[in-house]
Amino acid sequence: HLSTKIMTNRRLAILAIATTLSYTTSAFQAPIHTSTGAINARTTSLFSSVPERTSDETSSNPPLSSLVKRVAVAGATGRTGKFVVQQLLDQNVQVLALVRDVDKASNMLDPTNELLTIRQTDLGSESDVIAALNDAKQCDAAIWAATGFSDAPDQSIVDKLKAVFGLATNARGTIDAVGLPALGAGLANTPQRTREGGAVLPKVIMLSSAGVTRPDWSEEKKLALEGCAGIPIVRLNPFGILGVKAESEEKLRNCGVDYTIFRPCGLNDNWSPNQRPIFSQGDIAVGRINRQDVAKILVDLLTTPEATGKTFEGISIANSEGYYPPAPSIGPALERLALDSETGGKGPSEEVVRATYAIMQQLLPGEKQDAAGLAMGQTYEQLDKDEEGRLGVRGTEEAPLRST
């Protein structure tokens, strides 16, 4: 009887997560409605034509500039951070760019833009980060898009190699572990950010990474969920980078500020931008997403109360234009995800995690859909063609010696 009950519970869990994903994470497009509310007949013919979006599907969100005065962006000259800055400026939001190299920032960003303030900041110094926020004034939110440590000209080759993975060492520790909670401390006592009706908005949004918890999974769980536990970055975990990110996440959760933690999968500039995101919890997502879409999500989270106090992963569906466009708001997709306060930041139950994993594995790129079979530096397309990746055969990969 016990085994029958367990099997029944698992079937219910799978059914529940399938239903949740279809509505919550936009894995399947909802029927398209006309202005009269009737289902558009074109959706019954999948290949007939691309359906047009109707007027009632447009976003009614207030302007971002009416909900936030100034946003501090850590890592503003990074490969994702630069898109975050541009998204904010395009929406008439003041930006405080926290950068290590002012000259680089002046060349990469637009210093003539009156909305932009560039400040040299050591993200590895709690006092300097807090001073930057105090100097700027009216800074009511922050987006953390940085990784690594403060650079030093006398770094050893080992430290330079670690810097490739965002892990160069200094006496104070990683900038994630120091600067991120400093942002939280600097904003914790500022007025609470809310939308109409009192819904609480996040003050600090962290760009983390999918996979941060997987090295600490039990061997049984790693084997059962090999499609996400066996991917190269988790299998190799160079210099413990994933553990550093996990530690930094926990420090943010405990610093007393309203936050959101977003863990994107495989950042890939060759993956089409402006695609539909798929969100999940439990750290089982594997796939790709363009940095421009990551930046848009990070900025959208500033106005999304459904994301406050939550940790979640994200991928995007390629070639989703037309039938699977991005939704006007990511709020409905995030509303049904669990609060960290409900799960201790560990995500949903094991049954839900494994049911979600079974679905998410079907969204992998490529024909073989074998993420665990990848070598570091190998693409899904190369795997399909049995081609070797740029860092060698799986199991013999050589870590890159330059930043990528």
Side-chain angles (χ1 to χ4, degrees):
H1 295 291
L2 180 59
S3 61
T4 301
K5 182 177 180 181
I6 291 174
M7 289 301 295
T8 300
N9 287 341
R10 287 181 176 174
R11 292 191 184 100
L12 288 174
I14 292 172
L15 178 61
I17 196 64
T19 303
T20 300
L21 279 172
S22 65
Y23 291 94
T24 305
T25 65
S26 304
F28 309 101
Q29 185 188 23
I32 296 178
H33 294 262
T34 65
S35 58
T36 61
I39 296 178
N40 192 323
R42 281 174 293 183
T43 61
T44 62
S45 178
L46 182 59
F47 303 105
S48 58
S49 62
V50 175
E52 297 179 1
R53 303 189 73 182
T54 55
S55 59
D56 62 348
E57 292 177 292
T58 58
S59 174
S60 59
N61 287 333
L64 177 60
S65 57
S66 69
L67 295 173
V68 63
K69 295 178 181 178
R70 176 177 288 174
V71 179
V73 179
T77 59
R79 298 174 71 183
T80 302
K82 64 182 181 181
F83 292 125
V84 171
V85 171
Q86 193 58 54
Q87 289 255 354
L88 292 167
L89 295 177
D90 288 346
Q91 297 183 62
N92 296 314
V93 174
Q94 298 180 60
V95 174
L96 172 64
L98 306 180
V99 302
R100 180 181 64 242
D101 188 332
V102 173
D103 290 337
K104 176 183 177 182
S106 297
N107 291 327
M108 181 175 292
L109 307 175
D110 180 9
T112 65
N113 192 319
E114 295 181 354
L115 296 172
L116 176 64
T117 300
I118 299 173
R119 187 191 190 280
Q120 185 175 25
T121 308
D122 181 1
L123 296 177
S125 166
E126 179 181 8
S127 60
D128 200 25
V129 171
I130 293 177
L133 295 177
N134 291 337
D135 292 345
K137 303 186 185 303
Q138 292 187 326
C139 197
D140 48 2
I143 294 176
W144 182 271
T147 187
F149 294 71
S150 299
D151 282 347
D154 58 347
Q155 282 181 316
S156 69
I157 185 63
V158 173
D159 285 343
K160 289 182 183 296
L161 178 58
K162 290 179 179 179
V164 172
F165 299 99
L167 291 173
T169 56
N170 65 28
R172 293 175 303 231
T174 73
I175 61 171
D176 295 74
V178 177
L180 180 59
L183 280 181
L187 292 172
N189 295 321
T190 59
Q192 191 174 57
R193 299 186 60 236
T194 59
R195 286 194 63 159
E196 61 278 3
V200 177
L201 294 168
K203 290 183 182 180
V204 179
I205 297 167
M206 177 189 181
L207 172 61
S208 185
S209 172
V212 296
T213 70
R214 299 173 201 173
D216 293 331
W217 286 358
S218 69
E219 292 305 314
E220 183 276 331
K221 184 173 181 178
K222 288 179 181 178
L223 183 61
L225 307 183
E226 185 181 12
C228 61
I231 65 173
I233 187 63
V234 177
R235 177 169 49 84
L236 300 176
N237 194 15
F239 306 107
I241 182 175
L242 298 176
V244 170
K245 285 289 185 184
E247 176 189 356
S248 302
E249 287 186 1
E250 195 60 23
K251 287 189 175 185
L252 178 59
R253 294 187 188 101
N254 294 327
C255 73
V257 72
D258 295 317
Y259 70 89
T260 296
I261 298 172
F262 177 46
R263 301 166 169 171
C265 297
L267 302 178
N268 191 309
D269 292 333
N270 295 322
W271 199 244
S272 297
N274 195 34
Q275 305 300 304
R276 173 176 293 192
I278 306 294
F279 301 112
S280 63
Q281 288 181 306
D283 201 12
I284 45 72
V286 181
R288 289 172 173 164
I289 188 169
N290 189 287
R291 285 181 173 84
Q292 294 181 54
D293 285 351
V294 170
K296 183 178 187 307
I297 290 169
L298 292 171
V299 171
D300 286 349
L301 290 172
L302 289 167
T303 60
T304 307
E306 296 90 344
T308 304
K310 295 180 180 180
T311 300
F312 50 89
E313 299 80 51
I315 63 170
S316 70
I317 301 178
N319 304 316
S320 65
E321 299 92 339
Y323 285 100
Y324 297 93
S329 169
I330 60 177
L334 299 178
E335 183 177 12
R336 299 176 181 87
L337 298 183
L339 291 164
D340 289 348
S341 59
E342 298 172 343
T343 67
K346 305 301 181 183
S349 70
E350 281 301 302
E351 280 193 334
V352 172
V353 165
R354 297 191 184 209
T356 308
Y357 166 81
I359 294 175
M360 296 297 287
Q361 285 288 295
Q362 299 177 64
L363 300 177
L364 286 172
E367 297 174 356
K368 292 184 177 179
Q369 294 190 310
D370 180 17
L374 290 169
M376 180 169 278
Q378 184 183 32
T379 67
Y380 289 94
E381 292 77 15
Q382 288 175 321
L383 182 66
D384 286 342
K385 298 176 182 178
D386 295 320
E387 296 176 355
E388 184 176 313
R390 61 186 176 88
L391 301 179
V393 178
R394 186 185 188 281
T396 65
E397 303 99 321
E398 295 182 4
L401 296 178
R402 62 181 179 83
S403 182
T404 56

